[in-house]
Amino acid sequence: MLAFAFLLIVIFGFILTTPTHAAPIDDQFQAWLQTDLWPEAKSKGISKKTFDAAFLGVKPNLKLPDLVMPGEKPTTPQKQHQAEFGPPADYFAEKIIRAVTSGGRSREGANARVLGLIEKRYGVPGEIVLAIWGRETGFGAAKMPYDAFEVLGTDAFMSTKKDFFRTEVLAALEIVERGLAPVNAMKSSWAGALGQPQFMPTSFLKHAVDFDGDGRPDIWNSTPDVLASIANYLVHYGWVRGRGWGTEVTVPANVSCSLEGPDQGKKISDWVAMGIRRVDGKAFAASELKAEGFLLMPAGRSGPAFVVTPNFYVIKQYNNSDLYGLFIGHAADRIAKGDTTFVGTWGAVGDLHRSDIAALQRALEAKGYDVGSADGLPGFKTRRSIGIWQAKNGKPATCFPDAGLVAQLK
């Protein structure tokens, strides 16, 4: 009897100490679908037939990044999940960018008529559109391995950005409800992006266009629709017809790297007056000298520098990463003019964990600096805050986080 009583105590103790979410997470997800998501979907005109077909057999995918188990608090992940957040030199590896540029050139001729019509209508150069197409899905060759409703449903249920993904999963249901795509075509990336342009569902509904004239926008199979939808997306976010994205420059040592950012624009003539020059030795066009430009130093003093136009920040609307925007602009230049590399070289930076950078950001915030967000991602506000802190403390301004700086500020 004593042994039996002891066994009951052990079992009862195990039940009390086992996380409550471990076994019933699938049940919690199904309950959330029916009692939380379905009522809102119904109110937005989604039929029960569409809803049930979309989530038939769907369970939460616990391998997706940035999830928060029910009852737990979110934490900054230690590792990066996207290439844009790693070392810049890796992001611009020649084999990666050459695949986009060579593929873009080979498709430029085959799609010349369509690209010409797109540029005439939208004002976006074909090379930019091709570079995005190539970067996103390898010109449509990349396979989308995920069920969009599994990804979007999981993230709406338990990610760190539940509200964002709730909007997206409702938009995905609308796509199916309106007959724009069947449920079995709704395959996505791990982030829930759809089709060859990798549009989130809300972006599909806003920006996808029927350019081939068959009556519906098809970003899965129609090359004209894919290319025109990318251009339409960029125009929506303010693409300026007739301007490029930017150019590589040299920045004198007496010009602070903390001057970068889209909120610190100057006339390009003012940057020139400060000693900034194009690396190719050419002068800026007279029309450009009167226009606004922005300093971009995505690796601080440990990498190439650029003067970019507002169009660079339009490209970033596609993927909010300076490295992504730079990759697209650089790849477009290479598609148009041939393969050339940056003159400046990338230093050995960018290999810190997100959690380390987040700790550095919180330390800077505590000192009154605006880092944008303590999210572990070294955006321009973090970079220039580092540069300002370094200068104030008598250190060379590098404007990029490194292990020594993390140790000093943590």
Side-chain angles (χ1 to χ4, degrees):
M1 289 295 292
L2 285 174
F4 181 68
F6 177 75
L7 180 61
L8 287 177
I9 291 171
V10 170
I11 293 172
F12 185 65
F14 175 77
I15 292 172
L16 288 178
T17 57
T18 299
T20 58
H21 60 69
I25 189 70
D26 290 354
D27 294 340
Q28 290 184 51
F29 179 68
Q30 293 301 324
W32 171 81
L33 285 176
Q34 299 304 322
T35 63
D36 191 336
L37 189 63
W38 161 241
E40 184 173 1
K42 182 180 179 181
S43 73
K44 293 182 178 297
I46 305 302
S47 67
K48 194 68 165 66
K49 179 181 177 181
T50 293
F51 190 88
D52 289 345
F55 291 104
L56 180 65
V58 170
K59 297 181 179 180
N61 185 343
L62 302 185
K63 294 181 179 180
L64 295 175
D66 301 327
L67 300 182
V68 181
M69 300 300 286
E72 295 183 0
K73 294 182 179 180
T75 59
T76 302
Q78 186 181 55
K79 295 182 179 180
Q80 318 284 15
H81 293 294
Q82 291 180 247
E84 293 91 341
F85 306 144
D90 293 349
Y91 194 73
F92 288 95
E94 183 63 20
K95 66 178 181 180
I96 296 174
I97 198 164
R98 190 178 288 271
V100 173
T101 58
S102 61
R105 281 194 296 271
S106 69
R107 287 163 177 80
E108 194 170 30
N111 296 283
R113 178 180 172 278
V114 168
L115 289 168
L117 291 172
I118 288 171
E119 184 163 359
K120 184 177 180 180
R121 179 181 297 184
Y122 299 104
V124 181
E127 294 83 5
I128 292 286
V129 175
L130 288 167
I132 291 174
W133 186 26
R135 179 63 190 177
E136 291 299 321
T137 57
F139 309 100
K143 303 302 180 185
M144 296 297 107
Y146 294 92
D147 180 313
F149 291 104
E150 176 187 270
V151 171
L152 298 170
T154 300
D155 284 333
F157 175 56
M158 59 189 299
S159 82
T160 56
K161 298 191 295 182
K162 289 193 289 187
D163 291 344
F164 170 83
F165 283 106
R166 186 184 186 93
T167 301
E168 294 299 338
V169 75
L170 290 167
L173 288 165
E174 183 180 346
I175 290 170
V176 176
E177 184 68 29
R178 288 170 55 184
L180 299 173
V183 168
N184 61 11
M186 297 291 281
K187 302 298 181 184
S188 76
S189 69
W190 61 266
L194 306 170
Q196 295 188 40
Q198 285 292 272
F199 278 175
M200 295 302 291
T202 53
S203 291
F204 174 90
L205 293 172
K206 291 176 185 176
H207 309 304
V209 295
D210 170 25
F211 205 73
D212 62 11
D214 70 351
R216 69 182 184 93
D218 182 359
I219 63 170
W220 292 271
N221 304 296
S222 169
T223 296
D225 289 5
V226 167
L227 298 176
S229 296
I230 293 170
N232 188 46
Y233 182 99
L234 296 176
V235 168
H236 174 85
Y237 284 103
W239 184 269
V240 181
R241 185 187 291 263
R243 291 197 79 184
W245 67 272
T247 188
E248 187 180 357
V249 297
T250 56
V251 179
N254 65 333
V255 175
S256 174
C257 52
S258 64
L259 291 175
E260 78 158 319
D263 55 350
Q264 297 193 102
K266 302 178 186 293
K267 288 183 179 179
I268 290 180
S269 59
D270 292 336
W271 292 117
V272 171
M274 296 168 68
I276 290 176
R277 299 289 184 270
R278 290 173 55 133
V279 295
D280 60 11
K282 298 178 181 179
F284 287 96
S287 59
E288 283 293 295
L289 288 172
K290 301 174 184 178
E292 188 174 34
F294 311 89
L295 185 62
L296 172 72
M297 301 181 73
R301 287 286 179 180
S302 297
F306 306 85
V307 168
V308 298
T309 74
N311 285 340
F312 173 82
Y313 294 101
V314 172
I315 295 171
K316 277 188 62 180
Q317 292 292 332
Y318 219 98
N319 182 332
N320 190 24
S321 159
D322 288 330
L323 295 186
Y324 178 87
L326 184 56
F327 186 102
I328 297 304
H330 181 55
D333 287 349
R334 288 175 58 156
I335 290 170
K337 304 171 187 176
D339 288 321
T340 56
T341 59
F342 296 126
V343 173
T345 57
W346 302 102
V349 294
D351 57 353
L352 293 174
H353 290 308
R354 279 183 66 179
S355 52
D356 291 328
I357 297 173
L360 180 149
Q361 290 168 323
R362 288 191 292 271
L364 286 169
E365 282 183 328
K367 296 179 184 295
Y369 292 89
D370 177 13
V371 299
S373 175
D375 56 5
L377 309 177
F380 74 90
K381 287 187 176 181
T382 295
R383 297 196 297 266
R384 71 189 185 194
S385 292
I386 289 171
I388 295 169
W389 180 86
Q390 289 170 322
K392 283 185 176 179
N393 287 273
K395 303 176 185 299
T398 65
C399 295
F400 206 79
D402 56 45
L405 190 62
V406 170
Q408 283 181 291
L409 283 168
K410 281 178 72 171

